[in-house]
């Protein structure tokens, strides 16, 4: 049976043309992307194997590119002026100023172990601990404001234009985190609360991540 991916979204668009060459537009998207296929052809390069070939349901979860909420906006101003001086008239026209806004949910993140948990010969070290779903963590939201200036130098036959463009990205220097350290360390010489688990995902001070609730629980060492 082949892989299955679904994308459902609600999209709201707004655009208004004001006077004097001012145009404002905005778009809001509320969506959800679910997939059971490894996103090797997309952006998810850290988990390219099927976790359980006998059941695709274990790989069914949030896609790496899943962004539940996204808001984009742009304001473009192309001023027009008419003056008698030809040089001043040339300088005051054919300019375009733009403000671009992008606010979106953070990137999905996979919780993986640092060792091969299911002894699959095709997988080296990228496997999820038991009962932890695919892409269950999310990074901080993305917030970015950009400025753009475009100058049309000349136009040939109304189809060919030579332009000068310069941009200033993330003008407020907002820290946009796109990757988190979600690798859970596994110690193989201890027994987890679940005796069927091949290892105990540990954090500092010998505490573990409970895969059912992501709470921390104490590991116990095997009896001698």
């Amino acid at each position: 049976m082949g892989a299955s991916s679904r994308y459902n979204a609600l999209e709201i668009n707004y655009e208004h043309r004001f006077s004097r060459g001012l145009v404002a537009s905005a778009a809001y998207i509320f969506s959800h992307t679910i997939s059971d296929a490894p996103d090797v052809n997309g952006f998810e390069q850290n988990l390219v194997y099927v976790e359980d070939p006998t059941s695709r349901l274990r790989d069914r979860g949030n896609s790496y590119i899943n962004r539940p909420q996204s808001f984009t906006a742009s304001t473009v101003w192309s001023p027009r002026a008419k003056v008698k001086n030809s040089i001043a008239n040339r300088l005051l026209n054919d300019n375009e100023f733009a403000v671009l806004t992008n606010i979106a949910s953070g990137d999905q993140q996979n919780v993986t172990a640092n060792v091969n948990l299911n002894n699959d010969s095709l997988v080296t070290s990228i496997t999820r601990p038991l009962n932890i779903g695919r892409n269950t963590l999310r990074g901080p939201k993305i917030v970015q404001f950009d400025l753009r200036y475009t100058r049309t130098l000349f136009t040939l036959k109304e189809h060919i234009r030579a332009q000068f463009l310069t941009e200033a990205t993330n003008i407020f220097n907002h820290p946009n985190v796109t990757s988190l350290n979600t690798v859970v360390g596994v110690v193989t010489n201890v027994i987890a609360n679940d005796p069927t688990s091949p290892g105990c995902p540990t954090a500092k001070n010998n505490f573990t991540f409970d895969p059912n609730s992501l709470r921390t629980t104490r590991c116990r060492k095997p009896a001698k």
Side-chain angles (χ1 to χ4, degrees):
M1 182 177 179
S4 174
S5 299
R6 291 187 178 184
Y7 174 77
N8 299 290
L10 169 67
E11 182 174 351
I12 302 175
N13 293 290
Y14 169 81
E15 182 175 346
H16 187 81
R17 295 181 178 272
F18 299 88
S19 60
R20 301 183 182 276
L22 182 63
V23 179
S25 62
Y28 170 77
I29 299 177
F30 179 74
S31 64
H32 193 191
T33 305
I34 301 176
S35 177
D36 60 11
D39 295 327
V40 63
N41 294 323
F43 299 97
E44 186 181 10
Q45 301 293 338
N46 67 332
L47 201 62
V48 298
Y49 299 102
V50 176
E51 286 287 305
D52 188 354
T54 64
S55 175
R56 300 307 298 268
L57 292 178
R58 185 167 183 233
D59 288 283
R60 180 176 172 82
N62 296 320
S63 173
Y64 183 77
I65 58 175
N66 177 50
R67 292 185 183 275
Q69 299 191 70
S70 174
F71 174 80
T72 58
S74 65
T75 303
V76 181
W77 181 41
S78 302
R80 296 289 184 266
K82 292 184 179 180
V83 294
K84 295 182 179 180
N85 189 293
S86 59
I87 298 178
N89 189 72
R90 183 73 179 88
L91 293 175
L92 292 176
N93 291 279
D94 297 325
N95 299 298
E96 184 178 276
F97 305 89
V99 179
L100 310 176
T101 303
N102 179 26
I103 303 175
S105 303
D107 293 324
Q108 296 278 179
Q109 305 288 332
N110 252 322
V111 177
T112 58
N114 63 342
V115 296
N116 189 348
L117 297 178
N118 56 11
N119 294 323
D120 189 344
S121 60
L122 296 179
V123 180
T124 56
S125 61
I126 307 300
T127 51
R128 293 193 307 270
L130 186 65
N131 293 332
I132 292 184
R134 175 185 180 185
N135 294 319
T136 52
L137 296 184
R138 181 178 299 282
K141 65 180 179 180
I142 305 297
V143 178
Q144 184 164 322
F145 294 88
D146 303 333
L147 294 179
R148 177 186 298 172
Y149 168 73
T150 305
R151 169 73 183 179
T152 300
L153 303 178
F154 59 87
T155 303
L156 297 177
K157 297 182 179 181
E158 298 183 358
H159 297 291
I160 302 176
R161 293 184 178 182
Q163 294 181 322
F164 168 80
L165 185 146
T166 183
E167 288 184 325
T169 60
N170 198 12
I171 58 176
F172 296 113
N173 198 29
H174 184 274
N176 293 320
V177 179
T178 58
S179 179
L180 300 175
N181 182 12
T182 58
V183 178
V184 179
V186 173
V187 180
T188 58
N189 62 346
V190 295
I191 300 175
N193 295 330
D194 183 359
T196 63
S197 177
C200 182
T202 63
K204 292 182 179 179
N205 300 323
N206 200 31
F207 277 84
T208 72
F209 289 104
D210 184 349
N212 294 317
S213 62
L214 292 182
R215 296 174 300 181
T216 56
T217 57
R218 177 76 67 175
C219 288
R220 60 186 178 90
K221 295 183 179 180
K224 295 182 179 180

